[in-house]
Amino acid sequence: MIEFLLLPALLGAQGAAQVAQDAQDAAPRAYTVRVEAADLVLEGEPWPVTVEVTAGEGFTELPLWALTRGALELDGRALGPRVEGLLVLEPGQRISATFDLADVFVGRAADLPPTARLVHAGGGGATEHTWLRRAETGIDFMALPVEQLAEYNVVLSTTSGFLWLEFWPDVAPNHVRNFLDLAYTGFYDGSRFHRVIPGFMIQGGRGGDGRPAPRKVKQEFSTRRHVAGVLSAARLGNDVDSANSEFFVMHKPTPHLDGQYTAYGALVASYPKSLDALERVVGAVDGNYKLLSELRRAAPIDPNHMFVQTAVNTPNPAQVIHKAIVVKTPRKR
């Protein structure tokens, strides 16, 4: 636990004055501030923000408000009052506080821009955050007109970060409806990416609670290419009309899938951190491949055997889709 001195409470007025004077004599009031927060903010979901302060080389006076919500400004609007008082930090001491700021967006959906800047008044620079509004309640995506489907995106909150997906209802409206409905009804919540092949794709979509997929979807092949980040429908063998809930996201371009599988969306290009999350999911099988290589040096093992393939392509640690959240497509900047 990080300890610090709360002047008025622990030292009394005279002692506080003396320590403050000693700190002033010993070194200038210098400290650095670091603010850590997810750059994607989802309406109705927690948004933890951590403020970390590190003292300089000498004793440092730190305003109490620097570790409260009052130190933070979102697009120039203070997020709380600035309380009075001082802390004295020892040289190099580090202290932090974490807040859930999800409530700052409540009731502001109509006037929020697509991005907002978060600033700490004590320094540390500004960070930019994208705010996504949750889809309305009571939507029947299976009956939604094609022209309205593009108004929605899905964010997969995973073990490795956010995968933010947009859709192509112009080429595969029924696959888009199916995915939106399954995400909206919680089908994917708690499910896993069960098959990951580096250089190819990551596959998921089995019901998180063991439910079977509610429907099959007929193929909607198009000229859309299977390049990195593209969302496509898995199916049963050569039955082109057997797509259900399972999907895959391309890790690398795979031309032989073009026109043979239904591509119906992609990771949002303006949010490159989705590609970072994709790489982390792929990296979860690196240890499996390393172990297989070591075992093959010690014994004859067929790397193409079904059981071997299943073992090496199952992520370890598990890559979980904690929640699939349907959001409104952001307004253009």
Side-chain angles (χ1 to χ4, degrees):
M1 178 181 295
I2 299 176
E3 298 179 354
F4 56 87
L5 300 179
L6 177 58
L7 295 180
L10 300 183
L11 300 178
Q14 184 175 357
Q18 183 60 53
V19 171
Q21 183 61 51
D22 291 345
Q24 188 174 29
D25 293 342
R29 300 179 184 179
Y31 57 86
T32 59
V33 177
R34 185 175 67 89
V35 178
E36 183 176 329
D39 54 357
L40 204 58
V41 187
L42 307 174
E43 182 184 21
E45 296 296 314
W47 187 37
V49 177
T50 298
V51 174
E52 182 182 87
V53 176
T54 304
E57 295 181 357
F59 283 92
T60 301
E61 291 182 0
L62 178 70
L64 278 176
W65 58 258
L67 285 171
T68 70
R69 293 167 57 119
L72 298 169
E73 298 177 357
L74 192 69
D75 278 352
R77 183 173 71 97
L79 300 184
R82 292 188 179 174
V83 298
E84 297 182 357
L86 292 173
L87 304 177
V88 171
L89 303 183
E90 295 188 7
Q93 187 174 356
R94 183 175 299 164
I95 186 170
S96 65
T98 300
F99 328 99
D100 182 3
L101 298 184
D103 61 302
V104 304
F105 298 96
V106 175
R108 298 192 61 211
D111 66 331
L112 279 172
T115 59
R117 292 173 66 80
L118 186 68
V119 178
H120 190 283
T127 54
E128 190 170 271
H129 304 269
T130 298
W131 183 86
L132 296 177
R133 180 181 175 187
R134 189 180 287 268
E136 308 91 329
T137 58
I139 303 174
D140 181 0
F141 280 106
M142 297 308 296
L144 205 65
V146 173
E147 58 271 16
Q148 294 182 31
L149 292 173
E151 297 176 8
Y152 299 93
N153 293 171
V154 168
V155 176
L156 302 180
S157 177
T158 79
T159 303
S160 291
F162 292 129
L163 295 173
W164 180 4
L165 295 160
E166 61 184 3
F167 301 104
W168 301 334
D170 56 320
V171 297
N174 292 322
H175 282 76
V176 173
R177 286 193 183 97
N178 183 54
F179 192 93
L180 284 169
D181 177 71
L182 293 170
Y184 191 68
T185 56
F187 183 88
Y188 292 133
D189 296 354
S191 64
R192 301 185 178 197
F193 288 105
H194 59 273
R195 182 171 177 242
V196 172
I197 304 178
F200 183 25
M201 56 88 218
I202 64 173
Q203 183 172 340
R206 294 174 177 172
D209 58 1
R211 281 181 293 167
R215 66 187 67 89
K216 290 184 178 181
V217 186
K218 292 185 177 181
Q219 63 89 4
E220 294 176 294
F221 298 159
S222 71
T223 58
R224 297 295 179 102
R225 299 172 58 203
H226 284 76
V227 297
V230 162
L231 173 68
S232 192
R235 67 178 190 228
L236 300 175
N238 293 323
D239 184 352
V240 298
D241 293 329
S242 61
N244 46 43
S245 62
E246 293 195 31
F247 62 89
F248 56 95
V249 179
M250 302 307 302
H251 181 220
K252 300 294 182 182
T254 309
H256 74 264
L257 299 185
D258 297 347
Q260 304 299 313
Y261 284 77
T262 300
Y264 59 99
L267 297 176
V268 173
S270 62
Y271 185 68
K273 288 193 175 181
S274 281
L275 288 174
D276 297 336
L278 174 63
E279 290 293 343
R280 286 190 288 271
V281 175
V282 170
V285 298
D286 286 350
N288 298 346
Y289 278 84
K290 181 179 179 181
L291 177 60
L292 175 61
S293 178
E294 293 172 353
L295 291 174
R296 291 185 67 194
R297 287 197 293 268
I301 296 176
D302 179 5
N304 296 315
H305 191 282
M306 179 179 67
F307 294 115
V308 175
Q309 284 290 302
T310 298
V312 297
N313 294 324
T314 299
N316 183 21
Q319 297 298 299
V320 180
I321 300 173
H322 300 297
K323 188 176 288 189
I325 305 162
V326 182
V327 298
K328 296 286 286 185
T329 302
R331 302 188 305 271
K332 297 295 184 180
R333 301 183 186 181

